[in-house]
Amino acid sequence: MKRRNFITKTLLASAALTVAPALGFSKSLENSNNLNRSAKFMAKYELPKLPYAYDALEISIDKLTMEIHHTKHHQAYVNNLNNAIAGTELESLSLNDLMKDISKAPATVRNNGGGHYNHSLFWEIMAKDGGAPEGVLLDAINSAFNSLDEMKEKFNAAAMTRFGSGWAWLLVQNGKLVISSTPNQDNPLMDVADVKGTPVLGLDVWEHAYYLKYQNKRNDYVANWWQVVNWKEVAKRFNEA
Ligand code: MN
């Protein structure tokens, strides 16, 4: 009996192998359709890679803060945004267009879409050796604020007077540089912003951005942060604005 069972099983197994290619084909087609479907609905946006190591900006921002900020906070904005827009008409918009019409979107899209836009900008406008503003960007800074130092003073004031969580911004409005701040994850691209324009520099003043190293001393964080501003990237954004 045991032997017969063994033979039966073996025969069944080889029969299964014989028909496997046909079954396997339709099965794998079905799987790839499912994958395409979930990729379309679940992952419109992805966490961007940092253009430097987590410890690259330690002169201003510690490694652990950078790592948690990027892999936990930013990742959560990306995941929540993807989930919130899945299967809705908002899914077909570019991130910039989503920002420009954000008043029509639910609060969760405003918070997490803004979070994704703002952090994607934030990582790029920082660098280990970010240089200094020059050329047309420096001219525009001097023309709007008299000097780089006065621009920094105004920006720092915007960062310090933003109560609670938010961002300070240097943005282009009608061809001119201006400074503003926004609450939560709002930004100057949004139609709900008090001061609208194209951001070229932004500073995250949520406590999660500085608390491990600076605790309550937001002013020290803001002052130190200028050492890691990537002025080449700011100039690029200014030229494109
Ligand atoms: Mn943040």
Side-chain angles (χ1 to χ4, degrees):
M1 285 304 281
K2 275 185 179 174
R3 183 174 156 79
R4 180 167 295 175
N5 276 346
F6 173 76
I7 290 169
T8 309
K9 277 183 184 164
T10 308
L11 282 172
L12 281 173
S14 48
L17 275 176
T18 311
V19 294
L23 281 174
F25 180 67
S26 64
K27 192 73 186 163
S28 69
L29 251 189
E30 190 189 314
N31 281 345
S32 91
N33 281 341
N34 283 341
L35 277 175
N36 287 341
R37 205 173 299 131
S38 58
K40 190 177 166 197
F41 286 132
M42 299 304 293
K44 176 174 171 72
Y45 296 105
E46 281 180 12
L47 183 69
K49 286 208 163 59
L50 287 194
Y52 37 72
Y54 287 119
D55 63 358
L57 312 179
E58 283 227 307
I59 190 169
S60 299
I61 305 175
D62 61 286
K63 180 184 178 184
L64 184 59
T65 296
M66 286 298 294
E67 193 165 353
I68 295 172
H69 202 172
H70 181 244
T71 62
K72 306 297 181 194
H73 292 275
H74 191 174
Q75 182 72 66
Y77 298 126
V78 169
N79 294 347
N80 294 338
L81 174 61
N82 282 331
N83 289 336
I85 63 172
T88 77
E89 58 190 9
L90 298 175
E91 205 175 22
S92 62
L93 297 178
S94 71
L95 188 56
N96 275 43
D97 286 344
L98 184 62
M99 299 296 102
K100 284 170 184 169
D101 248 355
I102 204 70
S103 62
K104 295 173 190 158
T108 184
V109 174
R110 175 171 168 179
N111 291 334
N112 293 288
H116 179 45
Y117 178 91
N118 297 349
H119 288 83
S120 299
L121 175 144
F122 189 51
W123 311 133
E124 288 190 3
I125 56 83
M126 296 191 291
K128 188 174 184 178
D129 300 301
E134 54 190 31
V136 287
L137 174 61
L138 185 60
D139 291 345
I141 288 171
N142 288 334
S143 136
F145 307 102
N146 296 317
S147 68
L148 178 60
D149 282 346
E150 282 185 55
M151 186 278 278
K152 287 182 179 178
E153 270 175 41
K154 281 194 174 152
F155 188 99
N156 292 354
M160 290 306 299
T161 54
R162 169 49 55 191
F163 184 77
S165 299
W167 291 74
W169 302 100
L170 178 67
L171 59 132
V172 177
Q173 185 184 62
N174 302 322
K176 197 169 177 265
L177 284 171
V178 293
I179 280 164
S180 77
S181 76
T182 53
N184 304 313
Q185 295 295 355
D186 286 358
N187 64 55
L189 280 182
M190 292 181 172
D191 58 353
V192 294
D194 291 336
V195 182
K196 287 183 259 301
T198 304
V200 296
L201 181 64
L203 174 58
D204 188 343
V205 294
W206 284 56
E207 282 187 345
H208 70 224
Y210 63 87
Y211 205 84
L212 291 181
K213 184 178 170 85
Y214 297 96
Q215 294 83 48
N216 60 314
K217 300 182 286 279
R218 186 191 283 189
N219 54 337
D220 289 349
Y221 160 67
V222 171
N224 264 349
W225 172 75
W226 290 105
Q227 298 179 83
V228 294
V229 169
N230 179 359
W231 287 104
K232 279 202 182 74
E233 178 65 23
V234 178
K236 178 176 157 257
R237 287 169 182 267
F238 177 72
N239 291 335
E240 290 167 358

